[in-house]
Structures are given as structure tokens and as C-alpha cells.
Amino acid sequence: MGATHALVALSSLLTTVNFLWATQPKGWLIRFMDREPIVFFSCVIGGFGLSLPVIVPPIRKSLGLSTSQYDGFTPIEQDSYVSSFSNQKK
């Protein structure tokens, strides 16, 4: 479920880049980077951040690490997770 949301966000980013690439004159990216470097690199960092939910879980799975925080809880796991906190308070 989390990967679906990440793919939607990533496809929105790629659609925006494709639209800008098709509608702007040649060399707009270089001019944009030269005139507005802070905005440009903010967009680069944001694009990298949007791609992380798609990239990180497969890497963690291949390393044998838990991905439950990315995959979400099943109802049984959620009940045991909530009960473990309620037992600590008593």
C-alpha cells in the first residue's frame, strides 16, 4: 500500500518534468539552474526524497532487514503492537 502511494507521487513528479521538458525552450534547465540555484537544488532534493519510498524497501528486503514500517501492519500485528504498549503501562 505504501509503495502505491510512492509510485503515484513519483509518477506525478515525472509527469511534471516531462511537461516542462516538452513546453520549455531548449536549455531551460541550465538557465533555471543558473538563475535560481536554490530553487533548482531544492527540487532535486525533493525529487530524491520522493523516490526513496520506492528504492529503500527492496534494498532493505535484500539485506534481510525488516520492512514492516514501510509495508504497514496487518490487523493481527497491530493488535499485538498496541497490546505490548498497554502491558508496559501497567
Side-chain angles (χ1 to χ4, degrees):
M1 180 120 174
T4 305
H5 176 71
L7 287 174
V8 169
L10 190 58
S11 68
S12 299
L13 175 71
L14 293 175
T15 302
T16 303
V17 169
N18 189 25
F19 173 76
L20 289 172
W21 199 265
T23 59
Q24 298 298 317
K26 193 172 185 176
W28 70 273
L29 188 62
I30 294 169
R31 280 195 310 276
F32 181 62
M33 186 173 58
D34 183 46
R35 293 180 184 169
E36 301 289 340
I38 294 172
V39 175
F40 174 77
F41 286 109
S42 295
C43 292
V44 169
I45 292 170
F48 179 71
L50 285 173
S51 67
L52 285 178
V54 177
I55 296 169
V56 170
I59 293 172
R60 287 183 62 92
K61 284 180 185 176
S62 70
L63 293 173
L65 300 172
S66 172
T67 59
S68 62
Q69 65 216 27
Y70 303 108
D71 298 334
F73 289 112
T74 61
I76 296 170
E77 289 174 335
Q78 187 173 9
D79 290 340
S80 64
Y81 181 74
V82 171
S83 66
S84 69
F85 279 109
S86 63
N87 290 338
Q88 289 177 354
K89 292 180 181 179
K90 291 182 181 179

